[in-house]
Amino acid sequence: MRCLALNASFEPLTLVPVRRALRLVIEGKAEIVEAERDQVVRSARLLLPRPAIIRLVRFVHVPRRFRRQVTNTFLFARDEYRCQYCGRHQFELRHRECLTRDHLVPVSRGGGNLWGNVVTACSSCNTRKGNHLPEECGMHPRVPPVEPHFVHLAWAVRRLTDTQAKYIRLFYGPAAVRALRG
Ligand SMILES: [Zn+2]
C-alpha cells in the first residue's frame, strides 16, 4: 500500500511509496497526518508508525505542464469510460469495438490534442464522425470537454484506502470520491 501525500494546503497530491514518505518525514519535509494502526516501520535509529497520509510542510506548486498532457488513460477516465456520442460504456461495446480518442476539430483540420478538443469515442462513432466538425455531422459530445482537475487524473487509475479517500472527500467533496471509484 502507498501513502497519500497532501500539499501544505491539504490538497491531495499523489501516492508515494511508504519508504519515500518516511524519508520526507525524517528529513522534516513532511508530517504524518494519519498512520496505519498497529503498524510500525523501523529505520536505522527510529521506530515510526507506518504513514497512510503525510502532509508536506511547505506548499508545493504543481506545474501546469503536468495538467495539460492528454493520455488515453486519463481521457477515458475523465469521460467515465463512455463514448461521448452514443453513450455506451466500454463494457457495452461489441467485439472488435474499442474506446478511442476523438478530436472535435479533426487534426487534419487544425485541431489539437488539447483537453478542450478531445473526447472519448467508441471506434464506430469515431469512424462515423470522420473528418467532420460536430456541426457538420450533428454529432455533439454529451458533456462538453474541459480540462479535468489534475487530481482526478492522478487518482483515476489508482486504488484508495478508506482513510485516504476521506481526505479526497474533505478537499473535493463526495462526488470526487464516487467518480474515482467508478
Ligand atoms: Zn459510440
Side-chain angles (χ1 to χ4, degrees):
M1 199 204 74
R2 291 182 159 222
C3 173
L4 170 62
L6 307 177
N7 213 336
S9 59
F10 283 92
E11 177 180 13
L13 287 178
T14 187
L15 288 168
V16 295
V18 168
R19 287 199 162 276
R20 186 161 160 231
L22 282 172
R23 205 176 329 128
L24 289 168
V25 171
I26 291 167
E27 289 170 358
K29 292 174 181 163
E31 60 184 16
I32 296 178
V33 178
E34 298 245 7
E36 291 298 319
R37 252 179 270 158
D38 311 325
Q39 286 192 51
V40 290
V41 187
R42 285 167 203 281
S43 72
R45 290 163 294 133
L46 293 164
L47 199 62
L48 288 165
R50 185 188 166 96
I53 322 270
I54 58 165
R55 174 178 171 240
L56 299 180
V57 173
R58 290 188 181 197
F59 183 80
V60 175
H61 180 72
V62 179
R64 291 284 303 173
R65 185 171 52 83
F66 175 70
R67 306 181 186 197
R68 286 210 196 98
Q69 287 172 357
V70 181
T71 65
N72 280 354
T73 304
F74 290 161
L75 174 65
F76 300 164
R78 182 198 69 181
D79 295 340
E80 297 179 355
Y81 306 94
R82 261 178 209 288
C83 172
Q84 290 300 296
Y85 298 114
C86 67
R88 284 182 303 160
H89 191 271
Q90 67 174 348
F91 297 136
E92 300 171 89
L93 300 182
R94 288 188 297 271
H95 186 56
R96 289 174 192 274
E97 283 184 322
C98 59
L99 292 182
T100 64
R101 177 189 307 199
D102 179 62
H103 298 81
L104 292 186
V105 177
V107 175
S108 61
R109 296 173 71 169
N113 261 311
L114 305 168
W115 282 112
N117 191 49
V118 292
V119 294
T120 303
C122 72
S123 43
S124 301
C125 287
N126 199 335
T127 303
R128 190 148 45 90
K129 182 165 170 294
N131 274 331
H132 298 291
L133 297 173
E135 309 83 85
E136 293 171 350
C137 56
M139 290 173 74
H140 297 276
R142 310 186 140 213
V143 181
V146 292
E147 182 177 322
H149 190 285
F150 87 100
V151 78
H152 290 191
L153 309 182
W155 300 105
V157 290
R158 291 175 173 159
R159 296 181 77 106
L160 297 170
T161 65
D162 289 341
T163 314
Q164 292 171 341
K166 187 173 84 185
Y167 284 81
I168 304 281
R169 196 181 302 121
L170 279 174
F171 205 89
Y172 293 107
V177 176
R178 276 199 301 275
L180 293 171
R181 290 192 154 165

